[in-house]
Amino acid sequence: MSTPTIDSTPTELSHHTPAKAGVKGGLLDPKMLWRSMPDAVKKLDPRTLWRNPVMFIVEVGALWALVCTVLDPSWFGWLTVVWLWLTVVFANLAEAVAEGRGKAQADTLRRAKTDMVARRLDGWAPGVAGTEEEVAAPLLRQGDLVVVEAGQVIPGDGDVVEGIASVDESAITGESAPVIRESGGDRSAVTGGTTVLSDRIVVKITQKPGESFIDRMIALVEGANRQKTPNEIALNILLAALTLIFVFAVATLQPMAIFSKANNPGVADSLALDANGVTGIVMVALLVCLIPTTIGALLSAIGIAGMDRLVQRNVLAMSGRAVEAAGDVNVLLLDKTGTITLGNRQAGEFLQLDGVTPERFADAAQLSSLADETPEGRSIVIYAKERFGLRARTPGELTGAQWVEFTAATRMSGVDLEDGHQLRKGAAASVAEWVRANGGTVSRQLGTLVDSVSSTGGTPLVVGELRNGTATALGVIALKDVVKQGMRERFEEMRRMGIRTVMITGDNPLTAKAIADEAGVDDFLAEATPEDKLALIKREQEGGKLVAMTGDGTNDAPALAQADVGVAMNTGTSAAKEAGNMVDLDSDPTKLIEIVEIGKQLLITRGALTTFSIANDIAKYFAIIPALFVTLFPGLDLLNVMRLHSPQSAILSAVIFNAIVIIALIPLSLRGVRYTPSSASKLLSRNLLIYGVGGIVAPFVGIKLIDLLIQFLPGMS
């Protein structure tokens, strides 16, 4: 079954633009650092920190170094202990800043959760008023019915079951323009905390207590319910394994040092080596500098920041898994109308059949569209008036006229005049069948005109007439879909990212192909039904692909639930929003492309900083190991390329650099690495070149500069 040619669904009063939600990200704000510092200190609690194995080991090491310094005080010991603890605090600060960036929006959302009183209805049914009672909004349960009138706040999430009203959703979306919500359509869902501006509606509550849309948004932007994604968990396991390896590697230095010193009795005790082997504080410092502390400190912040970037674009992700999946998407399913095209098809040409004058056809087309309030219907009336000079008419002028509304069953609309004259306008097959049912015949020319319009990307509407007991087809109205500017370029970007784009439409295959060719999508699904969408997603997933799609209606819910990334429109039904794992508060279907880009940016940022962190550790070997053990093993002098002032300054410089680099990388982890569409091999090459080579060079330069600055401090001889 095809999608109806004429859609009478009400449109929004104003097109939404992305609201500037939350705090803009990217740059390191000193005020934000200061505000987040108390939270960073609270995260020193081992019961919290143990979830991050790398930083937990650093905290245990810092505590051990503190004990060693208390037992054997020295300038070097105290300076090292201070910077070891700062390393842990800075790591916590990265996560605290990432979480803090959502608190501004969370506060705004909480203001929408005021203590409301709901007008609950008992005994209500269509046509039956029922009785009202006032109850506290938190006491509402699923299935309760409430009435909301102009000026009142909607007490909970639900669906409109009676009435139509304009609603102010600025508390959720940040957009001041009101939207229409009505019963019986795909724009029936309302959100608790929004305000009814006009009329009266009856709402059926669909939320559970404490699980409202705003509750979930607050938990999301504050990071309270953020679950680690599979890739993040896998990377944490890898970092824990590397940390464990380095623990054993550093531990082996102790017996090796004792054995070597015993065989070299002429070597004097030093910072690194004393009578008992490697000193405890040196072992801790060495371990902290060699384990992947940088990525361990920033990993959680990267994940939170990725979700925060979605919130800034007014997209609510139900889980971090969905954001990560967006970065791995292989197939993108996009609706044609409103996503690829502007959505409102416009009359572009009248094509009358032989024997029908242009004026007669224009008059019939205008009459059949007078009561059609859709953008397409209005465009036909305007086109006939402007092109053929027909005067503006209203339905009220036609005395005795009976207007035939469009239905999915007939796929036609029109008018029956009092003199027996009838006009129909609609899908070609439906009007042709109506003509034959009323004793008329359909010429081959009609099929030629319909195919001609479809092949050029237009939508053909056929106008038929019944006069004096005989029906005939008069001609074809060509409705043109206008492809949005820049869509071809965006699909080219998707292709370079390795993503296949599929356009979904209810149009016939000829029309679908023409639009697909003009827009530049890779494939299309014409005359799509909900079952077709679901089958397509399953077919792609069986081939090992990850699929993303958008939807807003109840009939989209199965496909949204099946898709790896299902983006439901906020204007859609509750069923669609429950089925998807993301909700676009602006209800902009093209946002799906941005979501994919944000997901890829998240993955690239994580990969880039992991590369940088591991490369850092390689460089630190050359800074610390030669400086510590060159007196014991003179051959290591060949690796002592940095020529640091002393073993003390070498260790302290490495520890200080290790802490400072975490702070320096917080802005990058919050803003994300800039993403440009390209192949996986090119992304890998760029990653290795910039963050791999940069990760090796940075410690050499940074540690050397710090060494020059601290060499004159007490205890650095």
Side-chain angles (χ1 to χ4, degrees), residues 236-307:
N236 263 315
I237 294 173
L238 174 63
L239 296 180
L242 288 174
T243 301
L244 190 61
I245 290 172
F246 279 116
V247 167
F248 283 112
V250 172
T252 59
L253 293 177
Q254 180 71 289
M256 184 183 72
I258 295 174
F259 175 78
S260 299
K261 192 170 187 294
N263 291 330
N264 295 273
V267 178
D269 290 347
S270 66
L271 170 75
L273 300 172
D274 57 19
N276 298 316
V278 182
T279 59
I281 195 167
V282 171
M283 289 184 65
V284 170
L286 183 61
L287 176 63
V288 169
C289 290
L290 296 185
I291 64 177
T293 51
T294 305
I295 185 60
L298 298 174
L299 188 58
S300 182
I302 294 169
I304 295 173
M307 298 182 74

Side-chain angles (χ1 to χ4, degrees), residues 651-662:
I651 291 177
L652 187 58
S653 297
V655 171
I656 293 174
F657 176 83
N658 197 59
I660 290 176
V661 77
I662 294 173

Side-chain angles (χ1 to χ4, degrees), residues 548-597:
M549 75 160 289
T550 61
D552 61 358
T554 301
N555 61 351
D556 289 324
L560 286 170
Q562 182 67 34
D564 299 284
V565 180
V567 184
M569 301 295 101
N570 191 40
T571 56
T573 61
S574 294
K577 290 195 283 189
E578 288 294 331
N581 49 25
M582 291 188 187
V583 177
D584 176 19
L585 303 181
D586 293 324
S587 301
D588 177 7
T590 61
K591 193 79 68 68
L592 181 57
I593 299 176
E594 292 182 50
I595 291 170
V596 170
E597 291 174 347

Side-chain angles (χ1 to χ4, degrees), residues 190-460:
V190 291
T191 304
T194 57
T195 305
V196 173
L197 299 180
S198 68
D199 304 292
R200 174 186 185 274
I201 53 175
V202 175
V203 177
K204 183 177 182 179
I205 300 298
T206 58
Q207 72 180 50
K208 295 179 181 178
E211 296 183 8
S212 70
F213 195 72
I214 292 182
D215 288 323
R216 285 182 290 169
M217 282 195 70
I218 292 172
L220 170 71
V221 297
E222 289 189 328
N225 289 341
R226 193 186 82 88
Q227 300 296 318
K228 291 185 177 180
T229 64
N231 283 350
E232 192 175 346
I233 293 172
L235 187 54
N236 263 315
I237 294 173
L238 174 63
L239 296 180
L242 288 174
T243 301
L244 190 61
I245 290 172
F246 279 116
V247 167
F248 283 112
V250 172
T252 59
L253 293 177
Q254 180 71 289
M256 184 183 72
I258 295 174
F259 175 78
S260 299
K261 192 170 187 294
N263 291 330
N264 295 273
V267 178
D269 290 347
S270 66
L271 170 75
L273 300 172
D274 57 19
N276 298 316
V278 182
T279 59
I281 195 167
V282 171
M283 289 184 65
V284 170
L286 183 61
L287 176 63
V288 169
C289 290
L290 296 185
I291 64 177
T293 51
T294 305
I295 185 60
L298 298 174
L299 188 58
S300 182
I302 294 169
I304 295 173
M307 298 182 74
D308 183 64
R309 282 192 288 275
L310 280 179
V311 172
Q312 290 180 42
R313 288 164 176 79
N314 274 0
V315 177
L316 172 64
M318 302 305 178
S319 69
R321 184 188 298 265
V323 185
E324 190 172 272
D328 288 326
V329 160
N330 308 108
V331 180
L332 209 57
L333 305 185
L334 299 161
D335 270 335
K336 181 201 74 172
T337 305
T339 305
I340 296 174
T341 64
L342 291 177
N344 296 335
R345 294 167 293 184
Q346 303 293 310
E349 192 175 5
F350 286 170
L351 304 171
Q352 65 277 357
L353 296 176
D354 292 340
V356 179
T357 64
E359 290 74 17
R360 177 188 171 193
F361 179 65
D363 183 69
Q366 188 188 59
L367 273 177
S368 64
S369 303
L370 284 182
D372 186 352
E373 290 300 322
T374 64
E376 294 90 344
R378 290 193 294 269
S379 75
I380 293 171
V381 174
I382 294 172
Y383 184 85
K385 175 178 176 291
E386 294 178 348
R387 185 69 180 271
F388 296 93
L390 299 178
R391 70 180 182 85
R393 292 178 284 188
T394 62
E397 295 179 26
L398 303 179
T399 306
Q402 294 184 353
W403 301 99
V404 179
E405 294 185 359
F406 175 87
T407 66
T410 63
R411 299 178 66 198
M412 295 186 301
S413 61
V415 60
D416 293 341
L417 303 176
E418 60 181 356
D419 59 358
H421 183 199
Q422 297 181 11
L423 293 169
R424 293 292 184 271
K425 175 196 68 179
S430 299
V431 175
E433 184 179 346
W434 177 80
V435 169
R436 295 190 187 98
N438 285 281
T441 58
V442 179
S443 67
R444 292 183 177 180
Q445 185 188 6
L446 182 65
T448 302
L449 291 177
V450 169
D451 290 344
S452 174
V453 173
S454 298
S455 64
T456 59
T459 302

Side-chain angles (χ1 to χ4, degrees), residues 440-711:
T441 58
V442 179
S443 67
R444 292 183 177 180
Q445 185 188 6
L446 182 65
T448 302
L449 291 177
V450 169
D451 290 344
S452 174
V453 173
S454 298
S455 64
T456 59
T459 302
L461 292 182
V462 175
V463 177
E465 179 184 54
L466 176 64
R467 189 189 291 270
N468 300 324
T470 303
T472 182
L474 300 179
V476 177
I477 301 170
L479 296 178
K480 185 178 180 181
D481 275 308
V482 180
V483 175
K484 291 181 178 179
Q485 188 175 3
M487 291 306 295
R488 175 173 284 275
E489 290 74 16
R490 299 204 75 172
F491 290 137
E492 284 291 341
E493 289 182 8
M494 296 289 109
R495 204 167 289 115
R496 288 195 295 272
M497 293 159 59
I499 298 174
R500 188 167 69 92
T501 52
V502 180
M503 181 185 77
I504 299 176
T505 177
D507 289 336
N508 62 67
L510 283 175
T511 301
K513 185 178 187 307
I515 293 293
D517 290 341
E518 184 180 353
V521 296
D522 297 311
D523 203 354
F524 64 89
L525 179 65
E527 298 180 340
T529 63
E531 294 77 13
D532 293 334
K533 296 178 186 178
L534 186 60
L536 175 61
I537 293 173
K538 289 182 177 179
R539 195 160 57 245
E540 294 289 349
Q541 290 173 333
E542 287 170 359
K545 304 294 180 62
L546 292 182
V547 181
M549 75 160 289
T550 61
D552 61 358
T554 301
N555 61 351
D556 289 324
L560 286 170
Q562 182 67 34
D564 299 284
V565 180
V567 184
M569 301 295 101
N570 191 40
T571 56
T573 61
S574 294
K577 290 195 283 189
E578 288 294 331
N581 49 25
M582 291 188 187
V583 177
D584 176 19
L585 303 181
D586 293 324
S587 301
D588 177 7
T590 61
K591 193 79 68 68
L592 181 57
I593 299 176
E594 292 182 50
I595 291 170
V596 170
E597 291 174 347
I598 291 171
K600 286 197 173 291
Q601 187 183 36
L602 169 65
L603 296 178
I604 290 171
T605 302
R606 185 186 296 158
L609 292 183
T610 301
T611 303
F612 184 88
S613 178
I614 294 175
N616 256 258
D617 296 336
I618 296 173
K620 291 170 194 171
Y621 277 107
F622 292 91
I624 300 177
I625 300 295
L628 286 179
F629 299 105
V630 69
T631 56
L632 189 60
F633 304 106
L636 289 177
D637 190 59
L638 294 174
L639 300 178
N640 191 17
V641 295
M642 299 179 67
R643 302 295 170 182
L644 301 178
H645 176 67
S646 65
Q648 291 93 332
S649 67
I651 291 177
L652 187 58
S653 297
V655 171
I656 293 174
F657 176 83
N658 197 59
I660 290 176
V661 77
I662 294 173
I663 286 289
L665 289 176
I666 289 179
L668 184 61
S669 66
L670 298 182
R671 183 180 63 244
V673 175
R674 184 179 178 184
Y675 172 68
T676 54
S678 58
S679 64
S681 60
K682 289 184 179 179
L683 287 174
L684 178 61
S685 299
R686 189 184 69 174
N687 216 21
L688 292 175
L689 179 63
I690 297 176
Y691 298 98
V693 175
I696 293 176
V697 173
F700 280 97
V701 176
I703 292 174
K704 183 62 178 178
L705 289 175
I706 295 172
D707 180 74
L708 293 174
L709 293 173
I710 70 170
Q711 60 181 311

